[in-house]
Amino acid sequence: MLPSSGYIDSRMSAPHLEQGTAGCRFEAVATSAAAARSQASLLAALATRRCGEVVVTDESEPLAGDDTDTQPVRMRLTLTQPVPHKRCVFGVASTPAPGPEDSDVSIYSTRMNPPRYPASAYREGRQGEAVLIMLIDDQNRTLGAVLERSSGHADLDEAAMAAAQDWTFDARGKQPEISRLRVPVNFTMN
């Protein structure tokens, strides 16, 4: 089940997912404890949607200091099933849900307001391109976003992720259960 807000954003880097006979192991570095919680919620929601009940074992730890709200967190999650589900067999690779680029579905934005340019970044002349992966379900609901590539500036990445919460999409064609849509977000000075 998705969290009550219905939308999850996840700020992380260096993700690694490994599937074995006992379950799936996910490792990444999240920008903060809040980002780690968002990513864990996103993974659990996607796994539950696909496989039924899932148990998440979290062995994450802060990388530096005790203030995990502002410090990066090394995530180590293991997802297992208490009862096997016919759609998910651990140790057997499943085909990922196709994105619009590899299916007959065409996803387009119905509302995609640009992010606010952070004032300090604008004053300092900072520019960059963040690339987000939007996760959209077969009812055209935006489930969440993952920062695939950083702009090189945390405040620009945050602005892109914040704007993505309000974006809406629609589709032509039969959508898979969950589609991925890659969205570049450019911050340039005019």
Side-chain angles (χ1 to χ4, degrees):
M1 166 172 268
L2 291 171
S4 59
S5 70
Y7 179 86
I8 306 165
D9 66 38
S10 172
R11 296 161 180 94
M12 56 166 199
S13 61
H16 175 75
L17 180 64
E18 187 176 300
Q19 185 172 320
T21 56
C24 293
R25 185 159 176 83
F26 175 83
E27 294 187 12
V29 176
T31 56
S32 66
R37 286 189 300 273
S38 288
Q39 178 63 25
S41 293
L42 177 62
L43 287 171
L46 293 173
T48 299
R49 182 181 177 102
R50 175 80 179 153
C51 301
E53 186 178 354
V54 175
V55 176
V56 178
T57 306
D58 189 344
E59 299 169 6
S60 301
E61 58 189 39
L63 287 176
D66 294 330
D67 185 6
T68 58
D69 287 338
T70 59
Q71 296 297 317
V73 173
R74 180 171 312 282
M75 296 178 62
R76 292 187 181 100
L77 304 172
T78 304
L79 289 83
T80 56
Q81 289 179 281
V83 178
H85 190 281
K86 64 182 178 186
R87 288 176 60 182
C88 297
V89 178
F90 288 120
V92 177
S94 62
T95 305
E101 65 277 359
D102 46 34
S103 73
D104 292 334
V105 69
S106 172
I107 297 177
Y108 57 93
S109 65
T110 55
R111 187 182 70 213
M112 201 166 171
N113 294 327
R116 292 180 185 256
Y117 213 119
S120 61
Y122 190 82
R123 278 193 308 273
E124 295 168 13
R126 287 187 275 129
Q127 302 181 82
E129 179 184 75
V131 178
L132 307 182
I133 300 292
M134 302 300 297
L135 300 171
I136 303 159
D137 74 6
D138 55 358
Q139 302 299 309
N140 297 323
R141 290 181 299 240
T142 303
L143 301 176
V146 176
L147 180 65
E148 180 184 49
R149 189 178 70 226
S150 173
S151 66
H153 305 284
D155 55 350
L156 297 181
D157 297 342
E158 290 286 328
M161 293 293 285
Q165 292 182 40
D166 296 323
W167 294 346
T168 59
F169 300 90
D170 207 343
R172 287 186 196 96
K174 179 157 174 33
Q175 280 182 266
E177 191 173 11
I178 297 174
S179 296
R180 301 176 314 275
L181 181 65
R182 181 173 280 109
V183 180
V185 181
N186 291 297
F187 292 89
T188 57
M189 306 294 286
N190 292 331

